[in-house]
Amino acid sequence: MCFDLDSHPPIAPIAGGSLDHADLVLAAADGNRFAGFSARAANPTGAGIVILPDVRGLHPYYEELALRFAEHGIDALAIDYFGRTAGAAKRGADFEYMPHVARTTADGLRADVAAAAEELAGREIGRVRSVFTIGFCFGGRLAFVATTFGLGLAGAIGFYGWPVGDRPNSPAPADVAGEMRAPILAIFGGADDGIPVEAVAQFEAALSAAGVPHEIETYPGAPHSFFDRKAADHAAASADAWERTLEFIRGNGTAA
């Protein structure tokens, strides 16, 4: 698991920055119906972001993160992964997600990310002109790979997404770097036991060889899932990672 069940994004709210928010049910091209949570900016900048959660799917952590993006002028849409196997209804903290993670497929994830990106881009004319992905852990890997989907993404941000190694539901980002068509911001913890420095170096080498614009930041001493309000010891790393995320969006799309 990426986060404890009572975790929250380490970002202070901005009063009045979000216009509205809503639970959605989205439809993918293959007919799948899946849950989403939308937050719209009160003062939109033209940027939109698809939030790709960890293995738990659409957890309140990511709904709160969507609100924080909206408060910074970025329309946000967090999605669930398990519409095909668990339906589109909201679920409680006791949901056994791992059997559903095992049943996700590369084609299904691709269809769902595409539906979310199209939902953002299809809002009233001119509202969202630059669509990004951001993901965490399972979703971080997917955020990187989504730049190969032909969606016209403006960029992808991954927090501790596994950059190498085979997975049945997605290729390794390092292996498909040559197909990436958007800049990458990759954020890692230096004390992440699951993603060693060698894996990060391999990803960076693949991005460089493919000519993909990229930024990779590794925070010394930070563990996997450090981006958490409860992780007071890593508050400085979290604050810097959030600022880097906003700056990446400002630098690669419409100003945020």
Side-chain angles (χ1 to χ4, degrees):
M1 180 189 296
C2 266
F3 299 98
D4 293 332
L5 294 176
D6 59 348
S7 294
H8 298 275
I11 308 160
I14 299 174
S18 177
L19 175 64
D20 57 40
H21 61 273
D23 294 318
L24 301 178
V25 175
L26 302 174
D30 63 358
N32 178 46
R33 291 171 61 80
F34 62 100
F37 179 87
S38 171
R40 296 198 308 159
N43 296 298
T45 61
I49 196 157
V50 178
I51 299 173
L52 303 172
D54 64 87
V55 289
R56 294 170 303 177
L58 187 56
H59 182 273
Y61 178 102
Y62 299 103
E63 296 179 353
E64 186 175 342
L65 182 61
L67 293 170
R68 300 293 85 81
F69 272 114
E71 290 164 355
H72 283 267
I74 304 163
D75 279 15
L77 178 56
I79 68 169
D80 185 53
Y81 301 125
F82 310 127
R84 294 171 183 81
T85 57
K90 300 203 76 165
R91 300 181 294 268
D94 60 348
F95 174 65
E96 294 290 339
Y97 50 85
M98 285 309 297
H100 298 274
V101 173
R103 294 171 66 186
T104 60
T105 66
D107 287 345
L109 293 170
R110 179 172 184 153
D112 294 350
V113 173
E118 289 164 7
E119 165 69 21
L120 280 174
R123 293 180 174 176
E124 56 259 41
I125 295 173
R127 184 177 180 91
V128 174
R129 300 185 296 277
S130 302
V131 177
F132 296 78
T133 54
I134 186 170
F136 296 78
C137 191
F138 179 93
R141 181 181 174 103
L142 180 57
F144 298 144
V145 174
T147 63
T148 72
F149 292 172
L151 301 176
L153 296 175
I157 304 148
F159 277 68
Y160 23 84
W162 283 282
V164 299
D166 293 332
R167 297 285 188 279
N169 47 24
S170 74
D175 291 346
V176 295
E179 302 172 39
M180 293 180 176
R181 297 295 180 264
I184 296 292
L185 172 60
I187 293 172
F188 299 100
D192 188 336
D193 293 334
I195 305 177
V197 294
E198 295 82 6
V200 176
Q202 183 178 337
F203 186 36
E204 183 160 25
L207 292 170
S208 295
V212 178
H214 63 277
E215 304 170 39
I216 293 183
E217 183 65 26
T218 299
Y219 293 98
H224 196 75
S225 307
F226 69 85
F227 196 69
D228 184 344
R229 192 180 306 165
K230 297 192 308 177
D233 291 346
H234 308 293
S238 291
D240 186 74
W242 177 240
E243 289 303 318
R244 286 178 183 272
T245 295
L246 296 178
E247 181 60 32
F248 180 81
I249 295 170
R250 285 191 290 264
N252 291 288
T254 303

